[in-house]
């Protein structure tokens, strides 16, 4: 056996979890991504999806994807830079720019590629990137590839952010990067305060709106819109794999910035173009987002109901104020076990353990879709209360 294989063979944590019957990953879903899914022939309630508006199974979205395949085929057979730009790419980018309040936008094949490609090339060796310590992994990977000086600040801590800004050399480019909604904990970035500090220290701002679009702001335009700071934020990132019910992502900014990124972002230039079906599905989802505000209204009704319910039964849910609700367990193996027991009760939720979070912050990520019902939510609350009491996580 080679040294590499010998090293990799020693990694056996998944095998241990499987032997204990608590391995929670790669569960095979045999149905559409809806509020109820089928796994191993069993129907379970889905509270582990990022499809906040519940559009992945919407007839108009599916029809748009099918029509795009009929017209354009299944792929573009090249990058946007060369032969992979379709008219529907450009039209959606124009709509997205208007939607988030920027001059131009460009789409990537995945949301991960947006952050990795933009952050790796946007700033230079003499510049600074200042980032929240629990930003999404795609942001962290993009920052790792940058030649800029990287400064990390404590999560949503404005005093810590200011201290890092004070370390930056005057006259140099400073880019603050944050999630609009933090994907595991469900809390919201303090954008008005970040904007104030950015103006004070002459810094630019990039906001990842992956979990904010379709949820916050007028017609789902995101956290920047919600706080009224769109004009003060330099770059707005979004993904199609959440509220847009598709696959891909985009970055929106001023014309000069997008022009630079089109010719420097390696994950854009050297990746195959986003497929026609994905673009069409995202475009149809945007249509629905704009024309059916009642979806967002119902999502917030469910969110407030769920937040009240979890607080009532005594769950520790942190500072969330969104459809992403963390249920803190603070133990890796217990988190896995509870996920399994909830699945046995008919509830699908996601475990979040180290290294995704600190080992003392392990949690179950409970997320809502606009297509859930109050009755489904009550069923989940009852099951969670039962299991959490069993493990002494809440009072009997």
């Amino acid at each position: 056996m080679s040294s590499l294989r010998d090293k990799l063979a020693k990694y056996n944590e998944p095998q241990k979890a499987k032997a204990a019957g608590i391995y929670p990953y790669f569960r095979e879903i045999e149905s559409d991504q809806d509020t109820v899914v089928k796994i191993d022939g069993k129907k379970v309630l889905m509270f582990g999806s990022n499809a906040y508006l519940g559009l992945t199974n919407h007839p108009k979205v599916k029809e748009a994807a099918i029509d795009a395949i009929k017209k354009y085929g299944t792929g573009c057979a090249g990058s946007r830079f060369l032969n992979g730009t379709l008219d529907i790419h450009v039209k959606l980018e124009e709509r997205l720019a208007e939607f988030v309040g920027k001059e131009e936008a460009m789409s990537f094949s995945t949301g991960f590629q947006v952050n990795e490609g933009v952050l790796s090339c946007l700033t230079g060796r003499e510049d600074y990137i200042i980032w929240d310590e629990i930003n999404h992994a795609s942001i962290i990977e993009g920052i790792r590839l940058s030649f800029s000086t990287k400064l990390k600040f404590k999560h949503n801590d404005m005093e810590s952010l200011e201290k890092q800004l004070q370390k930056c050399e005057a006259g140099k480019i400073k880019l603050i990067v944050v999630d609009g909604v933090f994907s595991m904990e469900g809390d919201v970035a303090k954008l008005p305060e970040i904007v104030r500090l950015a103006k004070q220290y002459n810094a630019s701002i990039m906001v990842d709106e992956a979990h904010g679009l379709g949820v916050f702001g007028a017609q789902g335009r995101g956290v920047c819109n919600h706080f009224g700071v769109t004009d003060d934020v330099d770059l707005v990132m979004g993904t199609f794999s959440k509220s847009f019910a598709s696959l891909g992502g985009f970055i929106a900014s001023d014309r000069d910035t997008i022009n630079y990124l089109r010719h420097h972002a390696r994950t854009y230039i050297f990746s195959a173009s986003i497929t026609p079906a994905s673009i069409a599905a995202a475009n149809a989802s945007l249509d629905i987002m704009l024309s059916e505000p009642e979806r967002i209204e119902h999502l917030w009704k469910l969110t407030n109901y769920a937040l009240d319910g979890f607080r009532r039964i005594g769950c520790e849910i942190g500072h969330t104020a969104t459809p992403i609700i963390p249920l803190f367990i603070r133990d890796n193996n217990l988190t896995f076990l509870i996920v399994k027991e909830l699945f046995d009760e008919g509830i699908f939720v996601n475990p979040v353990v180290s290294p995704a979070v600190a080992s003392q912050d392990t949690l179950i990520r409970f997320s809502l879709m606009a297509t859930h019902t109050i009755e489904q939510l009550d069923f989940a609350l009852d099951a969670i209360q039962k299991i959490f009491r069993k493990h002494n996580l809440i009072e009997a």
Side-chain angles (χ1 to χ4, degrees):
M1 182 180 290
S2 68
S3 298
L4 176 61
R5 287 187 61 191
D6 183 56
K7 173 187 174 182
L8 301 181
K10 294 175 182 177
Y11 174 63
N12 62 357
E13 293 304 313
Q15 293 91 315
K16 290 178 182 178
K18 289 176 182 178
I22 57 172
Y23 185 72
Y25 302 121
F26 303 105
R27 291 174 279 183
E28 297 179 19
I29 297 173
E30 303 157 355
S31 62
D32 52 13
Q33 186 79 228
D34 210 337
T35 59
V36 177
V37 299
K38 184 183 290 186
I39 299 176
D40 292 332
K42 175 183 178 180
K43 290 184 177 181
V44 294
L45 284 173
M46 171 55 74
F47 285 100
S49 174
N50 291 323
Y52 302 116
L53 294 182
L55 297 179
T56 55
N57 200 35
H58 196 288
K60 291 181 180 178
V61 176
K62 293 195 290 187
E63 182 181 355
I66 293 168
D67 288 344
I69 289 175
K70 289 179 179 178
K71 180 175 180 179
Y72 298 98
T74 56
C76 297
S79 71
R80 287 291 303 277
F81 207 61
L82 298 174
N83 63 299
T85 292
L86 303 176
D87 54 355
I88 55 174
H89 288 119
V90 176
K91 289 175 182 176
L92 178 60
E93 288 166 345
E94 290 172 350
R95 296 190 70 198
L96 289 169
E98 188 280 330
F99 184 64
V100 299
K102 294 300 172 187
E103 290 180 344
E104 291 193 8
M106 54 189 283
S107 58
F108 291 65
S109 298
T110 69
F112 198 107
Q113 287 178 319
V114 179
N115 284 332
E116 188 174 48
V118 170
L119 290 167
S120 62
C121 78
L122 195 59
T123 56
R125 292 181 183 274
E126 296 183 351
D127 304 328
Y128 299 87
I129 298 179
I130 306 101
W131 55 286
D132 190 293
E133 64 181 350
I134 69 166
N135 275 346
H136 189 265
S138 58
I139 294 176
I140 296 171
E141 289 303 310
I143 291 171
R144 282 178 177 172
L145 292 172
S146 172
F147 292 114
S148 302
T149 299
K150 298 103 172 167
L151 299 173
K152 178 173 63 176
F153 64 94
K154 295 178 182 177
H155 175 51
N156 247 350
D157 186 324
M158 297 301 101
E159 182 179 348
S160 177
L161 171 58
E162 184 165 20
K163 286 181 179 178
Q164 298 294 48
L165 286 165
Q166 290 170 346
K167 295 178 182 178
C168 300
E169 186 177 347
K172 301 298 183 181
I173 294 171
K174 298 172 281 290
L175 177 64
I176 302 169
V177 187
V178 295
D179 284 341
V181 174
F182 292 92
S183 59
M184 296 298 131
E185 289 78 4
D187 51 343
V188 180
K190 298 177 180 178
L191 286 185
E193 296 176 56
I194 292 171
V195 166
R196 178 183 61 80
L197 289 172
K199 289 180 177 179
Q200 181 178 343
Y201 291 92
N202 192 29
S204 301
I205 303 171
M206 175 176 165
V207 177
D208 181 329
E209 285 273 25
H211 299 269
L213 294 174
V215 178
F216 281 90
Q219 296 175 297
R221 296 173 194 268
V223 176
C224 297
N225 178 277
H226 169 75
F227 283 118
V229 297
T230 297
D231 292 342
D232 300 304
V233 171
D234 299 88
L235 298 104
V236 175
M237 176 271 183
T239 183
F240 299 152
S241 59
K242 278 72 176 177
S243 292
F244 286 93
S246 184
L247 183 67
F250 72 93
I251 191 75
S253 188
D254 61 90
R255 289 187 181 89
D256 291 335
T257 299
I258 297 300
N259 176 61
Y260 179 88
L261 290 172
R262 281 199 184 104
H263 297 86
H264 288 83
R266 294 169 71 85
T267 59
Y268 178 82
I269 296 171
F270 297 104
S271 286
S273 180
I274 185 172
T275 66
S278 295
I279 280 287
N283 189 59
S285 295
L286 180 56
D287 287 339
I288 297 166
M289 204 179 300
L290 292 169
S291 63
E292 298 182 16
E294 62 271 16
R295 283 183 176 267
I296 299 175
E297 292 169 7
H298 184 64
L299 178 62
W300 279 105
K301 177 183 176 181
L302 289 168
T303 298
N304 292 325
Y305 186 90
L307 292 172
D308 289 343
F310 283 121
R311 292 188 182 107
R312 173 177 48 80
I313 65 178
C315 291
E316 182 186 357
I317 62 172
H319 301 290
T320 182
T322 69
I324 302 167
I325 304 174
L327 306 175
F328 285 94
I329 308 297
R330 304 193 183 282
D331 178 278
N332 271 8
N333 287 336
L334 183 57
T335 301
F336 288 155
L337 177 59
I338 290 176
V339 166
K340 178 187 181 300
E341 292 181 349
L342 285 172
F343 182 82
D344 292 341
E345 293 286 329
I347 305 295
F348 185 111
V349 289
N350 291 315
V352 182
V353 300
S354 60
V357 294
S359 57
Q360 68 272 19
D361 293 330
T362 60
L363 57 92
I364 286 171
R365 186 182 186 275
F366 184 97
S367 54
L368 294 162
M369 294 182 279
T371 42
H372 279 123
T373 66
I374 293 294
E375 291 73 23
Q376 289 174 329
L377 190 48
D378 282 337
F379 183 89
L381 285 166
D382 288 343
I384 289 168
Q385 183 178 38
K386 172 185 171 182
I387 300 299
F388 276 42
R389 278 179 175 170
K390 172 184 173 182
H391 294 285
N392 297 314
L393 289 169
I394 59 175
E395 294 182 3

